[in-house]
Amino acid sequence: MKTLSENRCHGGVQGVYAHASQVCGCDMTFGLFLPEEAERGPVPLIWYLSGLTCTHENAMVKAGAQKWAAEAGVALVFPDTSPRGAHIANDDAYDLGQGAGFYVNATEAPWAPHFRMWDYVTDELPRLLFNAFPLAEERQSIMGHSMGGHGALTIGMSFPGRFRSVSAFAPIANPIASDWGRKQFTAYLGADEAKWAAYDATLLMRKRGFDGPILIDQGASDQFIELLRPEALAEAMAARRQGGILRMQKGYDHSYFFVSTFIEDHIGFHVAALYD
């Protein structure tokens, strides 16, 4: 692992690190904020999964999460959203290829050799983090924005007992029924829709739900709301009687202005679960 930068931040350290990923077959970069308490021992960890076109840097710089994490003594990790490099398959469209990994394990050419973001986020990167940094593996929560909200919800529901809580900002809630999903799942996973179900938060909610609290914020003026389909997830939560909160935030769009407005609520929500 290579240290790219480390900066003092709210009494802790905001670092950026790179490492050779066997899963993705390329170098991967991630951001990690460690609060001051990490100097004395392991601290809880909150995962933040970013959305389409983002790198590790977007939320790290724009969300303003470090202030609230520092006050609570928790760490934040900001993974990248896809493999990257000149030898990695890509597409001219912003919503496919590099920057658009969709947190799945691709099985189709030309994506399969590198686009294995599910295994990267759920297996390879956690092993690296817990071996290299003072983090408490038994105290994890996960959140994300847009495509990253999709990733947070699907991963949270697929690993019972791993995460104390899950939250999302404007998640792609029902990708199997959206152009933000059908296009990418066809490319990455093939035409057999049965293979898509494991990566759809609404279908997973109907099938198994989440064994902890859920918080979802959706901007009511989100320009992409028809693609996100929050109503499908809300209906699935109600049908399952899943404990959770879904808030429609009047006047807010899909931007990081929206995320930064409510990030304090989300950090506080996770902290309550992490220290329960």
Side-chain angles (χ1 to χ4, degrees):
M1 188 173 61
K2 179 181 180 181
T3 299
L4 301 182
S5 65
E6 288 185 333
N7 299 95
R8 202 70 177 165
C9 180
H10 293 288
V13 175
Q14 176 61 66
V16 177
Y17 309 93
H19 69 106
S21 168
Q22 292 184 350
V23 167
C24 296
C26 64
D27 286 348
M28 295 292 288
T29 302
F30 65 91
L32 178 68
F33 171 74
L34 290 173
E36 187 176 4
E37 287 83 351
E39 298 174 7
R40 300 187 288 275
V43 296
L45 176 65
I46 300 174
W47 292 77
Y48 186 103
L49 305 185
S50 290
L52 286 167
T53 76
C54 291
T55 69
H56 69 281
E57 188 175 38
N58 294 71
M60 187 180 81
V61 173
K62 296 179 180 180
Q66 293 91 337
K67 171 180 169 58
W68 311 111
E71 288 189 3
V74 300
L76 298 166
V77 62
F78 305 95
D80 202 348
T81 57
S82 78
R84 298 180 191 273
H87 66 295
I88 306 294
N90 201 9
D91 191 273
D92 290 337
Y94 75 95
D95 58 355
L96 185 66
Q98 296 185 34
F102 261 78
Y103 304 99
V104 304
N105 282 340
T107 58
E108 302 298 303
W111 313 104
H114 302 286
F115 280 72
R116 303 188 62 80
M117 289 302 295
W118 181 274
D119 282 352
Y120 178 70
V121 169
T122 66
D123 182 38
E124 186 178 45
L125 184 56
R127 284 189 285 109
L128 185 153
L129 289 172
F130 293 115
N131 284 331
F133 299 99
L135 301 168
E137 188 171 3
E138 72 281 5
R139 292 182 181 271
Q140 299 181 67
S141 291
I142 190 167
M143 64 176 167
H145 173 225
S146 192
M147 180 184 74
H150 140 78
L153 289 167
T154 55
I155 290 170
M157 286 187 276
S158 297
F159 290 86
R162 179 181 295 194
F163 301 101
R164 299 285 186 93
S165 51
V166 62
S167 75
F169 300 93
I172 302 174
N174 189 200
I176 202 169
S178 167
D179 286 343
W180 271 0
R182 296 191 64 83
K183 171 185 176 179
Q184 295 80 6
F185 288 0
T186 300
Y188 296 146
L189 304 172
D192 182 359
E193 296 188 17
K195 297 178 180 178
W196 303 359
Y199 301 113
D200 186 293
T202 295
L203 298 186
L204 287 173
M205 179 58 66
R206 292 173 185 163
K207 181 179 180 180
R208 63 176 66 138
F210 178 66
D211 56 348
I214 295 176
L215 171 63
I216 298 170
D217 274 316
Q218 172 64 60
S221 297
D222 192 316
Q223 60 271 45
F224 304 114
I225 197 165
E226 298 300 326
L227 294 166
L228 303 173
R229 294 181 50 79
E231 68 281 358
L233 181 59
E235 290 169 3
M237 290 175 67
R240 189 174 182 82
R241 296 175 174 82
Q242 169 74 48
I245 301 168
L246 195 159
R247 308 188 298 190
M248 296 297 294
Q249 301 291 1
K250 184 177 180 179
Y252 285 91
D253 60 15
H254 200 71
S255 69
Y256 266 96
F257 297 110
F258 161 61
V259 173
S260 64
T261 299
F262 298 104
I263 194 70
E264 178 185 3
D265 290 355
H266 284 245
I267 297 294
F269 166 78
H270 291 301
V271 166
L274 289 166
Y275 286 108
D276 185 13

